[in-house]
Amino acid sequence: MPLEPLSQKEIEDRLAELPGWSLDGDRLTRLYRLATHFAATALVVHIAQVQEELDHHSDLTLGYNTVSLSVNTHSVGGAVTEKDFELAQQVEALAPGHGAQ
């Protein structure tokens, strides 16, 4: 089944289930704060592993004690799809194990 862009209402409904995530233009975004740079780096590596498993990659930025993600689906013209939410949900599930807030 080909990916389809989600409607604005679908995106808003799904974001209500993902505290901390937001829509910035045509991308889902999230900033995590961590206790140390090492913890932030470990989270980046864990997210990279999930992205490889899903074959869906975000823009992932490592700061001193922050990690930010920004994602949309290039194959549908840069729109938000179910695949973006799947990635967001998986990252959201693993982030607390790294102490991310």
Side-chain angles (χ1 to χ4, degrees), residues 1 4-5 9 26 28 31-32 38 40 43-44 53 59-60 72 78 82 87 91 97 100-101:
M1 182 168 100
E4 295 289 329
K9 170 97 170 84
D26 62 352
L28 295 182
L31 174 71
Y32 291 99
F38 187 80
L43 178 59
V44 166
E53 291 167 3
D59 290 339
L60 187 57
N72 63 13
E82 183 62 38
L87 175 60
V91 171
Q101 298 181 7

Side-chain angles (χ1 to χ4, degrees), residues 18-22 28-34 40 43 47 59-70 91-92 95 100-101:
L18 286 170
W21 286 84
S22 62
L28 295 182
T29 63
R30 174 74 154 98
L31 174 71
Y32 291 99
R33 296 194 183 284
L34 295 101
L43 178 59
I47 292 169
D59 290 339
L60 187 57
T61 304
L62 172 64
Y64 170 71
N65 65 343
T66 60
V67 173
S68 64
L69 288 90
S70 175
V91 171
E92 205 50 31
Q101 298 181 7

Side-chain angles (χ1 to χ4, degrees), residues 40-57:
T41 303
L43 178 59
V44 166
V45 171
H46 202 165
I47 292 169
Q49 179 184 12
V50 168
Q51 292 180 145
E52 284 297 306
E53 291 167 3
L54 293 175
D55 191 26
H56 191 59
H57 302 84

